[in-house]
Amino acid sequence: MQKTARDMILSLVVIVLVAGVVWLFLPHEDGDYESKRVDYRVDLLTARRAASYPLAAPEGLSEEWKPTSVRYQGAEADAWHLGFHAPDGEYVAVEQSADKRSAFIEDKTQGATKTDATQRIAGETWTRYEGDHYDALVLEGTEGSTTLVTGTGSFGQLTEMAEALRTE
């Protein structure tokens, strides 16, 4: 019995040493993760042909706004997503869908609550939503789809994104 316990401890020591050596030789990234800039133009053109509503994408944002993710899911409620890192590193996304409005807003804002505050952007009314994780601006008066700008960015950044949105 004593020999078996000693052998198990020696085996464990060998495994830990081998794992330590492997860990030393694997590359490690220091600092913050730098996300890659994506080119969403082809995805946008393709999705605009397939979508049942006019897809929105920003025009005229400075180069400091870094597009990091793009996705169109035609089979799943005609959903469009375009994510950005704002100049200060905060996250801002354009989200659109033909799905049920309340469920879509709940999901994409991570449970943000509708406020009484509205603002006019490019002649349209947007309602503010505030949440623990994300805040959002939701475009009012659209039929057949829901458009929102959401993320960890400030309402100023969300407004800047909403002002830049164009559908064609």
Coordinates of all heavy atoms in Angstrom, one line a residue, residues 1-93:
M1 N 0.8 -1.2 0.0 CA 0.0 0.0 0.0 C 0.9 1.3 0.0 O 0.6 2.2 -0.7 CB -0.9 0.0 1.2 CG -1.9 1.1 1.3 SD -3.1 0.8 0.0 CE -4.4 1.8 0.6
Q2 N 2.0 1.2 0.8 CA 2.8 2.4 0.9 C 3.5 2.7 -0.5 O 3.7 3.8 -0.9 CB 3.9 2.1 2.0 CG 4.2 3.3 2.8 CD 5.2 2.9 3.9 OE1 5.9 1.9 3.8 NE2 5.2 3.8 4.9
K3 N 3.9 1.6 -1.1 CA 4.6 1.7 -2.4 C 3.6 2.3 -3.5 O 4.0 3.2 -4.3 CB 5.1 0.4 -2.9 CG 5.9 0.5 -4.1 CD 6.5 -0.9 -4.5 CE 7.4 -0.8 -5.6 NZ 8.0 -2.0 -6.0
T4 N 2.4 2.0 -3.5 CA 1.4 2.5 -4.4 C 1.2 4.0 -4.2 O 1.1 4.8 -5.1 CB 0.1 1.7 -4.2 OG1 0.3 0.4 -4.4 CG2 -1.0 2.2 -5.2
A5 N 1.1 4.4 -2.9 CA 0.9 5.9 -2.6 C 2.1 6.7 -3.1 O 2.0 7.7 -3.7 CB 0.6 6.1 -1.1
R6 N 3.3 6.1 -2.8 CA 4.5 6.8 -3.2 C 4.6 6.9 -4.7 O 4.9 8.0 -5.3 CB 5.7 6.0 -2.7 CG 7.1 6.7 -3.0 CD 8.3 6.0 -2.4 NE 8.4 4.6 -2.9 CZ 9.1 4.3 -4.0 NH1 9.8 5.2 -4.6 NH2 9.1 3.0 -4.4
D7 N 4.2 5.9 -5.5 CA 4.2 5.9 -6.9 C 3.2 6.9 -7.5 O 3.5 7.6 -8.5 CB 3.9 4.5 -7.5 CG 5.0 3.5 -7.3 OD1 6.2 4.0 -7.0 OD2 4.8 2.3 -7.4
M8 N 2.1 7.0 -6.8 CA 1.1 8.0 -7.3 C 1.6 9.4 -7.1 O 1.4 10.3 -8.0 CB -0.2 7.8 -6.5 CG -1.0 6.6 -7.0 SD -2.6 6.2 -6.1 CE -3.2 7.8 -5.7
I9 N 2.2 9.7 -6.0 CA 2.8 11.0 -5.7 C 3.9 11.3 -6.7 O 4.0 12.4 -7.2 CB 3.3 11.1 -4.2 CG1 2.1 11.0 -3.3 CG2 4.1 12.4 -4.0 CD1 2.4 10.9 -1.8
L10 N 4.8 10.4 -7.0 CA 5.8 10.6 -8.0 C 5.3 10.8 -9.3 O 5.7 11.7 -10.1 CB 6.8 9.4 -8.0 CG 7.7 9.3 -6.8 CD1 8.5 8.0 -6.8 CD2 8.7 10.5 -6.7
S11 N 4.2 10.1 -9.7 CA 3.6 10.3 -11.0 C 3.0 11.7 -11.1 O 3.1 12.4 -12.1 CB 2.5 9.3 -11.2 OG 3.1 8.0 -11.3
L12 N 2.3 12.1 -10.0 CA 1.7 13.5 -10.0 C 2.8 14.5 -10.1 O 2.6 15.5 -10.9 CB 1.0 13.6 -8.7 CG 0.2 14.9 -8.5 CD1 -0.8 15.1 -9.7 CD2 -0.5 15.0 -7.2
V13 N 3.9 14.4 -9.5 CA 5.0 15.3 -9.6 C 5.5 15.4 -11.0 O 5.8 16.5 -11.5 CB 6.2 15.0 -8.6 CG1 7.4 15.8 -8.9 CG2 5.7 15.2 -7.1
V14 N 5.7 14.3 -11.6 CA 6.2 14.2 -13.0 C 5.2 15.0 -13.9 O 5.6 15.8 -14.8 CB 6.4 12.8 -13.5 CG1 6.7 12.7 -15.0 CG2 7.6 12.2 -12.8
I15 N 3.9 14.7 -13.8 CA 2.9 15.3 -14.6 C 2.9 16.8 -14.4 O 2.8 17.6 -15.4 CB 1.5 14.8 -14.3 CG1 1.4 13.3 -14.8 CG2 0.3 15.6 -14.8 CD1 0.2 12.6 -14.3
V16 N 3.0 17.3 -13.2 CA 3.0 18.8 -12.9 C 4.3 19.4 -13.5 O 4.2 20.5 -14.1 CB 3.0 19.0 -11.4 CG1 3.3 20.5 -11.0 CG2 1.6 18.6 -10.8
L17 N 5.4 18.7 -13.4 CA 6.6 19.2 -14.1 C 6.5 19.3 -15.6 O 6.9 20.3 -16.2 CB 7.9 18.4 -13.7 CG 8.4 18.5 -12.3 CD1 9.5 17.5 -12.0 CD2 8.9 19.9 -12.0
V18 N 6.0 18.3 -16.2 CA 5.8 18.3 -17.7 C 4.8 19.4 -18.1 O 5.0 20.2 -19.0 CB 5.3 16.9 -18.2 CG1 4.8 17.0 -19.6 CG2 6.4 15.9 -18.0
A19 N 3.7 19.6 -17.3 CA 2.8 20.6 -17.6 C 3.4 22.0 -17.4 O 3.2 22.9 -18.2 CB 1.5 20.5 -16.7
G20 N 4.2 22.2 -16.5 CA 4.9 23.4 -16.2 C 5.9 23.8 -17.4 O 5.9 24.9 -17.9
V21 N 6.6 22.8 -17.9 CA 7.5 23.0 -19.0 C 6.7 23.3 -20.3 O 7.1 24.3 -21.0 CB 8.4 21.7 -19.3 CG1 9.1 21.8 -20.6 CG2 9.4 21.5 -18.1
V22 N 5.6 22.6 -20.5 CA 4.8 23.0 -21.7 C 4.3 24.4 -21.6 O 4.3 25.2 -22.5 CB 3.6 21.9 -21.8 CG1 2.6 22.4 -22.8 CG2 4.2 20.6 -22.2
W23 N 3.8 24.8 -20.4 CA 3.3 26.1 -20.2 C 4.3 27.2 -20.5 O 4.1 28.2 -21.0 CB 2.8 26.3 -18.8 CG 2.2 27.6 -18.5 CD1 0.9 28.0 -18.8 CD2 2.8 28.7 -17.9 NE1 0.7 29.3 -18.4 CE2 1.9 29.8 -17.8 CE3 4.1 28.9 -17.4 CZ2 2.2 31.0 -17.3 CZ3 4.4 30.2 -16.8 CH2 3.5 31.2 -16.8
L24 N 5.6 26.9 -20.1 CA 6.7 27.9 -20.3 C 6.9 28.1 -21.8 O 7.3 29.2 -22.2 CB 8.0 27.4 -19.6 CG 8.0 27.5 -18.1 CD1 9.3 26.8 -17.6 CD2 8.0 29.0 -17.7
F25 N 6.8 27.1 -22.6 CA 7.1 27.2 -24.0 C 5.9 27.7 -24.9 O 6.1 27.9 -26.0 CB 7.7 25.9 -24.5 CG 9.1 25.7 -24.0 CD1 9.3 24.8 -23.0 CD2 10.2 26.4 -24.5 CE1 10.6 24.6 -22.5 CE2 11.5 26.2 -24.0 CZ 11.7 25.3 -23.0
L26 N 4.8 27.7 -24.3 CA 3.6 28.2 -25.1 C 3.6 29.7 -25.1 O 3.9 30.3 -24.0 CB 2.3 27.7 -24.5 CG 2.0 26.2 -24.7 CD1 0.7 25.9 -24.0 CD2 1.9 25.9 -26.2
P27 N 3.3 30.4 -26.2 CA 3.3 31.9 -26.2 C 2.2 32.4 -25.4 O 1.1 31.9 -25.3 CB 3.1 32.2 -27.7 CG 2.5 31.0 -28.3 CD 2.9 29.8 -27.5
H28 N 2.4 33.5 -24.7 CA 1.5 34.2 -23.8 C 1.4 35.6 -24.3 O 2.4 36.2 -24.6 CB 1.9 34.2 -22.4 CG 2.0 32.8 -21.8 ND1 3.1 32.0 -21.9 CD2 1.1 32.1 -21.1 CE1 2.9 30.9 -21.3 NE2 1.7 30.9 -20.8
E29 N 0.1 36.1 -24.4 CA -0.1 37.5 -24.8 C -0.1 38.4 -23.6 O -0.8 38.1 -22.6 CB -1.4 37.6 -25.5 CG -1.4 36.7 -26.8 CD -2.1 37.4 -27.9 OE1 -2.4 38.6 -27.8 OE2 -2.3 36.7 -28.9
D30 N 0.7 39.4 -23.6 CA 0.7 40.4 -22.5 C -0.2 41.6 -22.9 O -0.3 41.9 -24.1 CB 2.1 40.9 -22.3 CG 3.0 39.8 -21.7 OD1 2.5 38.8 -21.1 OD2 4.2 39.9 -21.9
G31 N -0.8 42.2 -21.9 CA -1.6 43.4 -22.2 C -3.0 43.1 -22.7 O -3.4 41.9 -22.6
D32 N -3.6 44.1 -23.2 CA -5.0 44.0 -23.7 C -5.1 43.3 -25.0 O -4.2 43.4 -25.9 CB -5.6 45.4 -23.8 CG -5.8 46.0 -22.5 OD1 -5.9 45.3 -21.5 OD2 -5.8 47.3 -22.5
Y33 N -6.1 42.5 -25.2 CA -6.4 41.9 -26.5 C -6.8 42.9 -27.5 O -7.7 43.7 -27.2 CB -7.5 40.8 -26.3 CG -8.0 40.3 -27.6 CD1 -7.2 39.3 -28.3 CD2 -9.2 40.7 -28.1 CE1 -7.6 38.8 -29.5 CE2 -9.6 40.1 -29.3 CZ -8.9 39.2 -30.0 OH -9.3 38.7 -31.2
E34 N -6.1 42.9 -28.6 CA -6.4 43.8 -29.7 C -7.3 43.1 -30.7 O -6.8 42.3 -31.4 CB -5.1 44.4 -30.3 CG -5.3 45.4 -31.4 CD -5.9 46.7 -30.8 OE1 -5.7 47.0 -29.7 OE2 -6.6 47.4 -31.6
S35 N -8.6 43.5 -30.8 CA -9.5 42.9 -31.8 C -9.1 43.4 -33.2 O -8.6 44.5 -33.4 CB -10.9 43.2 -31.4 OG -11.1 44.6 -31.5
K36 N -9.4 42.6 -34.1 CA -9.1 42.9 -35.5 C -10.2 43.7 -36.2 O -11.4 43.5 -35.9 CB -8.9 41.6 -36.3 CG -7.6 40.9 -35.9 CD -7.4 39.7 -36.8 CE -6.1 39.0 -36.3 NZ -5.9 37.8 -37.0
R37 N -9.9 44.6 -37.0 CA -10.8 45.4 -37.8 C -11.4 44.5 -38.9 O -10.6 43.8 -39.6 CB -10.1 46.6 -38.4 CG -10.9 47.5 -39.3 CD -10.1 48.6 -39.8 NE -9.7 49.5 -38.8 CZ -10.4 50.6 -38.3 NH1 -11.6 50.8 -38.9 NH2 -9.9 51.4 -37.4
V38 N -12.7 44.5 -39.1 CA -13.3 43.7 -40.1 C -13.9 44.6 -41.2 O -14.2 45.8 -40.9 CB -14.5 42.8 -39.6 CG1 -14.0 41.8 -38.6 CG2 -15.6 43.6 -39.0
D39 N -13.9 44.1 -42.4 CA -14.5 44.9 -43.5 C -15.9 44.3 -43.7 O -16.0 43.2 -44.2 CB -13.6 44.7 -44.8 CG -14.1 45.6 -45.9 OD1 -15.2 46.2 -45.8 OD2 -13.5 45.6 -47.0
Y40 N -16.9 45.1 -43.5 CA -18.2 44.6 -43.5 C -19.0 44.9 -44.8 O -20.1 44.6 -45.0 CB -19.0 45.1 -42.3 CG -19.1 46.6 -42.2 CD1 -20.2 47.3 -42.8 CD2 -18.2 47.3 -41.5 CE1 -20.3 48.7 -42.8 CE2 -18.3 48.7 -41.4 CZ -19.3 49.4 -42.0 OH -19.4 50.7 -41.9
R41 N -18.3 45.6 -45.8 CA -19.0 46.1 -47.0 C -19.6 44.9 -47.8 O -20.8 45.1 -48.2 CB -18.0 46.9 -47.8 CG -17.6 48.2 -47.2 CD -16.6 48.9 -48.0 NE -15.4 48.1 -48.0 CZ -14.3 48.4 -48.6 NH1 -14.2 49.5 -49.3 NH2 -13.2 47.6 -48.5
V42 N -18.9 43.8 -48.0 CA -19.5 42.7 -48.8 C -20.7 42.1 -48.0 O -21.7 41.8 -48.6 CB -18.4 41.7 -49.1 CG1 -19.0 40.4 -49.7 CG2 -17.3 42.3 -50.0
D43 N -20.5 41.9 -46.7 CA -21.6 41.3 -45.9 C -22.8 42.2 -46.0 O -24.0 41.8 -46.0 CB -21.2 41.2 -44.5 CG -20.1 40.1 -44.3 OD1 -20.4 39.0 -44.2 OD2 -18.9 40.5 -44.3
L44 N -22.6 43.5 -45.9 CA -23.7 44.5 -46.0 C -24.4 44.4 -47.3 O -25.7 44.3 -47.3 CB -23.2 45.9 -45.7 CG -24.2 47.0 -45.8 CD1 -25.3 46.9 -44.8 CD2 -23.5 48.4 -45.7
L45 N -23.7 44.4 -48.4 CA -24.4 44.3 -49.7 C -25.2 43.0 -49.9 O -26.3 43.0 -50.4 CB -23.3 44.4 -50.8 CG -22.6 45.8 -50.9 CD1 -21.5 45.8 -51.9 CD2 -23.6 46.9 -51.3
T46 N -24.6 41.9 -49.4 CA -25.2 40.6 -49.5 C -26.5 40.6 -48.6 O -27.6 40.2 -49.1 CB -24.3 39.5 -49.1 OG1 -23.1 39.6 -49.9 CG2 -24.9 38.1 -49.2
A47 N -26.4 41.1 -47.4 CA -27.5 41.1 -46.5 C -28.6 42.0 -46.9 O -29.8 41.7 -46.8 CB -27.0 41.5 -45.1
R48 N -28.3 43.2 -47.5 CA -29.3 44.1 -48.0 C -30.1 43.4 -49.1 O -31.3 43.7 -49.2 CB -28.6 45.4 -48.5 CG -28.3 46.3 -47.4 CD -27.8 47.7 -47.9 NE -27.7 48.6 -46.8 CZ -27.0 49.7 -46.7 NH1 -26.2 50.0 -47.8 NH2 -27.0 50.5 -45.7
R49 N -29.6 42.6 -49.9 CA -30.3 41.9 -51.0 C -31.3 40.8 -50.3 O -32.3 40.6 -50.9 CB -29.4 41.2 -52.0 CG -28.8 42.2 -52.9 CD -28.1 41.5 -54.1 NE -27.0 40.6 -53.7 CZ -25.7 41.0 -53.6 NH1 -25.4 42.2 -53.9 NH2 -24.8 40.1 -53.3
A50 N -30.9 40.3 -49.2 CA -31.7 39.2 -48.6 C -32.7 39.7 -47.6 O -33.7 39.0 -47.3 CB -30.7 38.2 -47.9
A51 N -32.5 40.8 -46.9 CA -33.3 41.2 -45.8 C -34.7 41.7 -46.3 O -34.8 42.2 -47.4 CB -32.6 42.4 -45.1
S52 N -35.6 41.6 -45.4 CA -37.0 42.0 -45.7 C -37.3 43.4 -45.3 O -38.4 43.9 -45.4 CB -38.0 41.1 -44.9 OG -37.8 41.2 -43.5
Y53 N -36.3 44.1 -44.8 CA -36.4 45.5 -44.4 C -35.1 46.2 -44.8 O -34.1 45.6 -45.0 CB -36.6 45.6 -42.9 CG -35.6 44.9 -42.0 CD1 -34.4 45.5 -41.6 CD2 -35.8 43.6 -41.7 CE1 -33.4 44.9 -40.9 CE2 -34.8 42.9 -40.9 CZ -33.7 43.5 -40.6 OH -32.7 42.9 -39.8
P54 N -35.0 47.6 -44.8 CA -33.8 48.3 -45.1 C -32.7 48.1 -44.0 O -33.0 48.6 -42.9 CB -34.2 49.7 -45.3 CG -35.7 49.7 -45.1 CD -36.2 48.4 -44.6
L55 N -31.6 47.6 -44.3 CA -30.5 47.4 -43.3 C -29.8 48.7 -43.2 O -29.5 49.4 -44.1 CB -29.5 46.3 -43.8 CG -30.0 44.9 -43.7 CD1 -28.9 44.0 -44.1 CD2 -30.6 44.5 -42.4
A56 N -29.4 49.0 -41.9 CA -28.7 50.2 -41.6 C -27.2 49.9 -41.3 O -26.9 48.9 -40.7 CB -29.3 50.9 -40.4
A57 N -26.4 50.8 -41.8 CA -24.9 50.8 -41.5 C -24.4 52.2 -41.5 O -25.0 53.1 -42.2 CB -24.2 50.0 -42.6
P58 N -23.4 52.5 -40.7 CA -22.9 53.9 -40.6 C -22.1 54.3 -41.8 O -21.4 53.5 -42.4 CB -22.1 53.8 -39.3 CG -21.6 52.4 -39.3 CD -22.7 51.6 -39.8
E59 N -22.2 55.6 -42.1 CA -21.4 56.2 -43.1 C -20.8 57.5 -42.5 O -21.5 58.2 -41.8 CB -22.2 56.6 -44.3 CG -22.6 55.5 -45.1 CD -23.4 55.9 -46.4 OE1 -23.5 57.1 -46.6 OE2 -24.0 55.0 -47.0
G60 N -19.5 57.7 -42.7 CA -18.9 58.9 -42.3 C -18.3 58.9 -40.9 O -17.9 60.0 -40.4
L61 N -18.2 57.8 -40.2 CA -17.6 57.8 -38.9 C -16.1 57.9 -39.1 O -15.5 57.5 -40.2 CB -17.9 56.4 -38.2 CG -19.3 56.2 -37.7 CD1 -19.4 54.8 -37.1 CD2 -19.6 57.2 -36.6
S62 N -15.4 58.4 -38.2 CA -13.9 58.6 -38.3 C -13.3 57.2 -38.2 O -13.9 56.2 -37.8 CB -13.4 59.4 -37.1 OG -13.5 58.7 -35.9
E63 N -12.0 57.1 -38.7 CA -11.3 55.9 -38.7 C -11.1 55.3 -37.3 O -10.7 54.1 -37.1 CB -9.9 56.1 -39.3 CG -10.0 56.1 -40.9 CD -10.4 54.7 -41.4 OE1 -9.8 53.7 -41.0 OE2 -11.3 54.7 -42.3
E64 N -11.3 56.1 -36.3 CA -11.1 55.7 -34.9 C -12.2 54.7 -34.5 O -12.0 53.9 -33.5 CB -11.1 56.9 -33.9 CG -9.9 57.8 -34.1 CD -10.0 59.0 -33.2 OE1 -11.1 59.7 -33.3 OE2 -9.0 59.3 -32.5
W65 N -13.3 54.7 -35.2 CA -14.4 53.7 -35.0 C -14.0 52.5 -35.7 O -13.8 52.4 -36.9 CB -15.7 54.2 -35.5 CG -16.3 55.3 -34.6 CD1 -16.1 56.6 -34.7 CD2 -17.3 55.1 -33.7 NE1 -16.9 57.3 -33.7 CE2 -17.6 56.3 -33.1 CE3 -18.0 53.9 -33.2 CZ2 -18.6 56.5 -32.1 CZ3 -19.0 54.1 -32.2 CH2 -19.2 55.4 -31.6
K66 N -13.8 51.4 -34.9 CA -13.2 50.2 -35.5 C -14.3 49.1 -35.6 O -14.8 48.6 -34.5 CB -12.1 49.7 -34.6 CG -11.4 48.5 -35.0 CD -10.3 48.2 -34.0 CE -9.4 47.1 -34.4 NZ -8.4 46.9 -33.4
P67 N -14.7 48.7 -36.8 CA -15.7 47.6 -36.9 C -15.0 46.3 -36.5 O -13.9 46.0 -37.0 CB -16.1 47.6 -38.4 CG -15.0 48.4 -39.1 CD -14.4 49.3 -38.1
T68 N -15.7 45.5 -35.6 CA -15.1 44.3 -35.1 C -15.9 43.1 -35.4 O -15.4 42.0 -35.2 CB -14.8 44.4 -33.6 OG1 -16.0 44.7 -32.9 CG2 -13.8 45.5 -33.3
S69 N -17.2 43.2 -35.7 CA -18.0 42.0 -35.9 C -19.2 42.4 -36.8 O -19.7 43.5 -36.8 CB -18.5 41.5 -34.6 OG -19.3 42.4 -33.9
V70 N -19.5 41.4 -37.7 CA -20.6 41.6 -38.6 C -21.3 40.2 -38.8 O -20.6 39.2 -38.8 CB -20.2 42.2 -40.0 CG1 -19.1 41.2 -40.7 CG2 -21.4 42.4 -40.9
R71 N -22.6 40.3 -38.8 CA -23.4 39.0 -38.9 C -24.8 39.3 -39.5 O -25.4 40.2 -39.0 CB -23.4 38.4 -37.5 CG -24.1 37.1 -37.3 CD -23.8 36.6 -35.9 NE -24.2 37.4 -34.8 CZ -23.4 38.1 -34.0 NH1 -22.1 38.1 -34.2 NH2 -23.9 38.8 -33.0
Y72 N -25.2 38.5 -40.4 CA -26.6 38.5 -40.9 C -27.1 37.1 -40.8 O -26.5 36.2 -41.3 CB -26.7 39.0 -42.3 CG -28.1 39.0 -42.8 CD1 -29.1 39.8 -42.3 CD2 -28.5 38.0 -43.7 CE1 -30.4 39.8 -42.8 CE2 -29.8 37.9 -44.2 CZ -30.8 38.8 -43.7 OH -32.1 38.8 -44.1
Q73 N -28.2 36.9 -40.1 CA -28.9 35.6 -39.9 C -30.3 35.7 -40.5 O -31.2 36.1 -39.8 CB -28.9 35.3 -38.4 CG -27.5 35.1 -37.9 CD -27.5 35.1 -36.3 OE1 -28.2 35.8 -35.7 NE2 -26.7 34.1 -35.8
G74 N -30.4 35.3 -41.8 CA -31.6 35.4 -42.5 C -32.6 34.4 -42.0 O -33.8 34.6 -41.9
A75 N -32.1 33.2 -41.6 CA -33.0 32.1 -41.1 C -33.5 32.4 -39.7 O -34.5 31.9 -39.3 CB -32.3 30.8 -41.2
E76 N -32.8 33.2 -39.0 CA -33.2 33.5 -37.6 C -33.7 35.0 -37.5 O -33.0 35.9 -37.1 CB -32.0 33.3 -36.7 CG -31.5 31.9 -36.6 CD -30.3 31.8 -35.8 OE1 -30.1 32.6 -34.8 OE2 -29.5 30.8 -36.0
A77 N -35.0 35.1 -37.9 CA -35.7 36.4 -37.7 C -35.0 37.6 -38.5 O -35.1 38.7 -38.1 CB -35.8 36.8 -36.3
D78 N -34.3 37.3 -39.6 CA -33.8 38.3 -40.4 C -32.9 39.3 -39.6 O -33.2 40.5 -39.6 CB -35.0 39.1 -41.0 CG -34.8 39.3 -42.5 OD1 -33.8 39.0 -43.1 OD2 -35.7 39.9 -43.1
A79 N -32.0 38.8 -38.8 CA -31.2 39.6 -37.9 C -29.9 40.1 -38.4 O -29.1 39.3 -39.0 CB -31.0 38.8 -36.6
W80 N -29.7 41.4 -38.2 CA -28.4 42.1 -38.7 C -27.7 42.6 -37.5 O -28.3 43.2 -36.6 CB -28.8 43.2 -39.6 CG -27.7 44.2 -40.0 CD1 -27.6 45.5 -39.6 CD2 -26.6 43.9 -40.8 NE1 -26.5 46.1 -40.2 CE2 -25.8 45.1 -40.9 CE3 -26.1 42.8 -41.4 CZ2 -24.7 45.2 -41.6 CZ3 -24.9 42.9 -42.2 CH2 -24.2 44.1 -42.2
H81 N -26.4 42.4 -37.4 CA -25.5 42.8 -36.3 C -24.3 43.4 -36.9 O -23.7 42.9 -37.8 CB -25.2 41.7 -35.4 CG -24.0 42.0 -34.5 ND1 -24.1 42.6 -33.3 CD2 -22.7 41.7 -34.7 CE1 -22.8 42.8 -32.9 NE2 -22.0 42.2 -33.7
L82 N -23.9 44.6 -36.4 CA -22.7 45.3 -36.8 C -22.1 45.9 -35.5 O -22.6 46.8 -34.9 CB -22.9 46.3 -37.8 CG -21.8 47.0 -38.5 CD1 -20.8 46.0 -39.2 CD2 -22.3 47.9 -39.6
G83 N -20.9 45.3 -35.1 CA -20.3 45.8 -33.8 C -19.1 46.6 -34.0 O -18.3 46.3 -35.0
F84 N -18.9 47.6 -33.2 CA -17.7 48.5 -33.3 C -17.1 48.7 -31.9 O -17.8 48.6 -30.9 CB -18.2 49.9 -33.8 CG -18.6 50.0 -35.2 CD1 -19.8 49.6 -35.6 CD2 -17.7 50.5 -36.1 CE1 -20.2 49.6 -37.0 CE2 -18.0 50.6 -37.5 CZ -19.3 50.2 -37.9
H85 N -15.8 49.0 -32.0 CA -15.1 49.6 -30.8 C -15.1 51.1 -31.1 O -14.6 51.6 -32.1 CB -13.7 49.1 -30.6 CG -13.7 47.8 -29.9 ND1 -12.5 47.1 -29.7 CD2 -14.7 47.0 -29.4 CE1 -12.8 46.0 -29.1 NE2 -14.1 45.9 -28.9
A86 N -15.6 51.9 -30.1 CA -15.6 53.3 -30.2 C -14.2 53.8 -30.0 O -13.3 53.1 -29.6 CB -16.6 53.9 -29.2
P87 N -13.9 55.1 -30.3 CA -12.6 55.6 -30.2 C -12.0 55.4 -28.8 O -10.7 55.2 -28.7 CB -12.7 57.1 -30.5 CG -13.9 57.2 -31.4 CD -14.8 56.1 -31.0
D88 N -12.8 55.4 -27.7 CA -12.2 55.1 -26.4 C -12.2 53.7 -26.0 O -12.0 53.4 -24.8 CB -13.0 56.0 -25.4 CG -14.5 55.6 -25.2 OD1 -14.9 54.7 -26.0 OD2 -15.1 56.1 -24.3
G89 N -12.6 52.8 -26.9 CA -12.6 51.3 -26.6 C -13.9 50.8 -26.2 O -14.0 49.5 -26.0
E90 N -14.9 51.6 -26.0 CA -16.2 51.1 -25.6 C -16.8 50.3 -26.8 O -16.5 50.6 -27.9 CB -17.1 52.2 -25.1 CG -16.6 52.8 -23.8 CD -16.7 51.9 -22.6 OE1 -17.5 50.9 -22.6 OE2 -15.9 52.1 -21.7
Y91 N -17.8 49.5 -26.5 CA -18.5 48.7 -27.5 C -19.8 49.4 -27.9 O -20.6 49.8 -27.0 CB -18.7 47.3 -26.9 CG -19.5 46.4 -27.9 CD1 -18.8 45.9 -29.1 CD2 -20.8 46.0 -27.7 CE1 -19.5 45.1 -30.0 CE2 -21.4 45.2 -28.6 CZ -20.8 44.7 -29.7 OH -21.4 43.9 -30.6
V92 N -20.0 49.5 -29.2 CA -21.3 50.0 -29.7 C -21.7 49.1 -30.9 O -20.9 48.8 -31.8 CB -21.1 51.5 -30.2 CG1 -22.4 52.0 -30.9 CG2 -20.7 52.4 -29.1
A93 N -23.0 48.7 -30.9 CA -23.4 47.8 -32.0 C -24.7 48.3 -32.6 O -25.6 48.9 -31.9 CB -23.7 46.4 -31.4

